[in-house]
Amino acid sequence: MSLTDKYDGVSVTTKANVYFDGKCVSHGIVLADGTKKSVGVILPASLTFNTGAPEIMEGVAGSCRVRLKGESEWKVYGAGQSFNVPGNSSFDIEVAGEPYHYICHFG
């Protein structure tokens, strides 16, 4: 997957989704074809996210360590890299140093 830097013709939810006392902030976007995504940032923290739909997390800037539910190994991801999270699952994410900027592709 190549690094996404711009979407044309989108609808943006202007009120931010704020999670974990402000350690993760995102905005929802809907593309012209109805595809839903979110764009956001995770500040330095160790967090656990639960998923409903499958997700692809695309790194835009910064880096993180990720451990998917049921796995013992942590993997490192940076800008231009992505990881898949199954639906109805969870993942642990650790961000140290600079914030991790991401695009979450749902479905």
Side-chain angles (χ1 to χ4, degrees), residues 67-92:
R67 180 177 58 198
L68 299 176
K69 180 179 181 179
E71 295 185 4
S72 58
E73 182 182 338
W74 288 86
K75 296 179 182 171
V76 176
Y77 298 94
Q81 297 179 309
S82 63
F83 60 93
N84 297 320
V85 184
N88 299 312
S89 187
S90 65
F91 65 98
D92 300 317

Side-chain angles (χ1 to χ4, degrees), residues 10-91:
V10 301
S11 168
V12 177
T13 303
T14 56
K15 184 176 180 184
N17 300 305
V18 180
Y19 304 100
F20 302 105
D21 297 321
K23 292 179 178 75
C24 177
V25 179
S26 69
H27 289 272
I29 63 173
V30 180
L31 303 182
D33 67 1
T35 302
K36 295 181 181 180
K37 302 182 183 298
S38 67
V39 295
V41 63
I42 301 174
L43 301 177
S46 295
L47 308 172
T48 300
F49 285 90
N50 295 305
T51 62
E55 299 178 1
I56 298 172
M57 292 288 288
E58 175 188 352
V60 176
S63 65
C64 64
R65 287 184 350 134
V66 174
R67 180 177 58 198
L68 299 176
K69 180 179 181 179
E71 295 185 4
S72 58
E73 182 182 338
W74 288 86
K75 296 179 182 171
V76 176
Y77 298 94
Q81 297 179 309
S82 63
F83 60 93
N84 297 320
V85 184
N88 299 312
S89 187
S90 65
F91 65 98

